[in-house]
Amino acid sequence: MALLPILCYPDPRLHTVAKPVQAVDARIKALIDDMLETMYDANGIGLAATQVDVHERLVVIDISEQHNEPLVLINPEITWASTDKQVSDEGCLSVPGIYDGVERSAAIKVTALDGEGRSRALDAQGILAVCIQHEMDHLLGKVFVEYLSPLKRNRIKTKMLKARRETERA
Ligand code: K1U
Ligand code: ZN
């Protein structure tokens, strides 16, 4: 297993649209293991392949406190989304230190393949529904800051670029 580098906003590669996974083979299984290790190491509750510069439709999620309930969604599709919305504070491992409110469907139904390539269907609400929608946005090349006002987004972009310059100088 290996820790993978996570792309940081405003890296243009975060705006790549991911392609479907063609086969749940040894390469994808190794990527799942590496993504789970990377997500747990970064104290995240989700990670999309886009964030580790792999542009295939794969996300890993674990909202459990013990970090022992990994959820793998390959080629996920939202088959139903409630018209009822909720606003939750979101964070992103690609935008470290930034949290802000985003409005999303309160409940969703999702179909996907699991880590063994089996079809499954899932009903989600609360933080799980928020996290799945956030991760699926990554697969479409969308970062949560794009829901914020242009003013907030530009401030975040400037802050991230400054942080990157300081890291490069150190
Ligand atoms: O996509 C990512 O970068 C992961 C992101 C997922 C997410 C968090 C909160 C709302 C929506 C989506 C994170 O895990 S950022 C870290 C974080 O916010 C968090 C970590 C532990 C518990 C709760 C939140
Ligand atoms: Zn994110």
Side-chain angles (χ1 to χ4, degrees), residues 1 46 48 52 59 72 98 114 139 152 159 168:
M1 296 222 285
V52 294
V59 309
V72 175
I98 304 293
D114 69 12
L139 301 180
K152 276 190 180 177
K159 190 173 171 181
E168 282 165 2

Side-chain angles (χ1 to χ4, degrees), residues 39 42-48 51 89-95 99 127 130-131 134-135 138:
M39 177 187 74
N43 286 319
I45 58 171
L47 188 69
Q51 293 175 277
D89 256 5
E90 297 193 14
C92 183
L93 299 175
S94 294
V95 197
Y99 295 85
I127 184 66
V130 172
C131 191
H134 176 114
E135 301 310 333
H138 276 303

